[in-house]
Amino acid sequence: MTSDSPAISQTPSRQGPARPSRAEAEAAVRTLLLWAGEDPAREGLRDTPRRVVKAYEEFFRGYAEDPVALLSRTFEEIEDYDEIVLLRDIRLESHCEHHMVPIIGRAHVAYLPGKRVVGISKLARVVDAYAKRFQIQEKMTAQIANAIQHVLQPRGVAVVIEANHQCISTRGVHKPGVGMVTSHMLGEFRENPSTRREFFAMIQSRSCTAE
C-alpha cells in the first residue's frame, strides 16, 4: 500500500448554482405532474408537491453529511487486535443519478485496523452519507472505501455493494431481479490474495441477497 491517501469525496460544495427555494421546488413538481398529463389541482395531488419535496429532504440528506466528521471519533485501546473488522448486510437506499429512480441493496464494509478502530455504527452512517445522494454504484463503492482509508489509515479497506437498480427493472430493458455487484479494495485487501479470499468468505458465509 502506498503512503498516498486516496482521493476522498466529502460534502459537496454549495459554490455551484444557487439552491432553489422550497416554493420553487414544489412548483417544479407541479410542472412534472402537468407534463405527465395530470392535474396538480385535483384533490389527490393537491399536496403531492409538498410531500415530494419533504421526501427529497430524506432521500438526499447525505449532501448535508460530512463522512470525515462521522469517522473522526476513534478508539486506540484495541489490545493489538489486527484481524478483519467487518460490518455486513448494511441496508442501502440510493437513487440513480441518470434516471432519478431507486437503487436498493446492501453494503459490506471491512477494514484491517492499524492503530485505531471506529464505532460500527459510524461505518453504517458513512454508507448512508454517500448513498443518500444521486449516485452511480461504482462511484459510491469507491467513495465509501476511500473515506475509511483516509480517516482511519488502516492496513486495508474492502467494500462490496450488491444492489438492484430500478433504472433497468422498471424502464428501458425491463429486467427485474437483476443484481449489480461492485467492489473496491485498498491496501492488504488489494495486495494480499489470502486476505481478500478471507473477506469474501466472511460475506458469503450466509445469503446476502439484496431485498
Side-chain angles (χ1 to χ4, degrees):
M1 180 172 57
T2 66
S3 60
D4 295 332
S5 296
I8 176 173
S9 174
Q10 299 174 258
T11 304
S13 171
R14 287 297 181 191
Q15 294 178 353
R19 186 176 185 177
S21 67
R22 180 177 291 270
E24 289 171 323
E26 292 181 6
V29 177
R30 292 187 191 94
T31 297
L32 286 174
L33 289 170
L34 285 166
W35 184 86
E38 264 291 357
D39 175 10
R42 73 174 175 85
E43 183 178 5
L45 293 175
R46 202 169 297 150
D47 288 332
T48 294
R50 177 184 59 81
R51 294 189 187 103
V52 170
V53 170
K54 184 176 180 181
Y56 263 46
E57 289 178 328
E58 181 176 350
F59 292 158
F60 305 111
R61 68 175 186 267
Y63 288 112
E65 294 277 4
D66 181 352
V68 169
L70 291 173
L71 292 166
S72 61
R73 184 179 180 185
T74 60
F75 307 94
E76 295 185 0
E77 296 179 359
I78 61 175
E79 299 291 338
D80 297 322
Y81 183 85
D82 61 358
E83 298 293 335
I84 294 173
V85 176
L86 168 65
L87 193 61
R88 186 175 61 182
D89 297 330
I90 306 168
R91 169 80 176 188
L92 179 150
E93 300 168 356
S94 190
H95 282 75
C96 167
E97 68 179 31
H98 298 145
H99 301 98
M100 299 172 65
V101 294
I103 301 170
I104 307 295
R106 300 182 189 277
H108 314 290
V109 178
Y111 68 100
L112 279 165
K115 295 182 178 179
R116 43 188 185 161
V117 296
V118 70
I120 59 173
S121 68
K122 301 302 188 295
L123 297 177
R125 290 186 66 185
V126 168
V127 171
D128 266 355
Y130 285 116
K132 298 295 187 180
R133 304 178 184 186
F134 286 112
Q135 280 287 13
I136 62 171
Q137 186 172 326
E138 299 92 332
K139 180 177 71 175
M140 174 170 49
T141 307
Q143 286 175 330
I144 295 167
N146 289 342
I148 295 168
Q149 181 67 37
H150 176 79
V151 180
L152 299 185
Q153 294 293 302
R155 291 177 292 121
V157 179
V159 176
V160 168
I161 293 178
E162 306 171 87
N164 297 322
H165 293 240
Q166 288 195 12
C167 57
I168 68 167
S169 64
T170 63
R171 58 158 302 280
V173 295
H174 289 278
K175 298 296 181 184
V178 174
M180 181 176 179
V181 181
T182 51
S183 66
H184 195 73
M185 307 286 159
L186 298 171
E188 290 191 27
F189 288 101
R190 178 183 289 270
E191 299 163 2
N192 189 330
S194 64
T195 301
R196 188 163 56 252
R197 284 195 297 269
E198 182 182 358
F199 165 70
F200 280 108
M202 290 172 73
I203 68 173
Q204 292 168 2
S205 60
R206 63 180 176 80
S207 175
C208 297
T209 304
E211 292 179 1

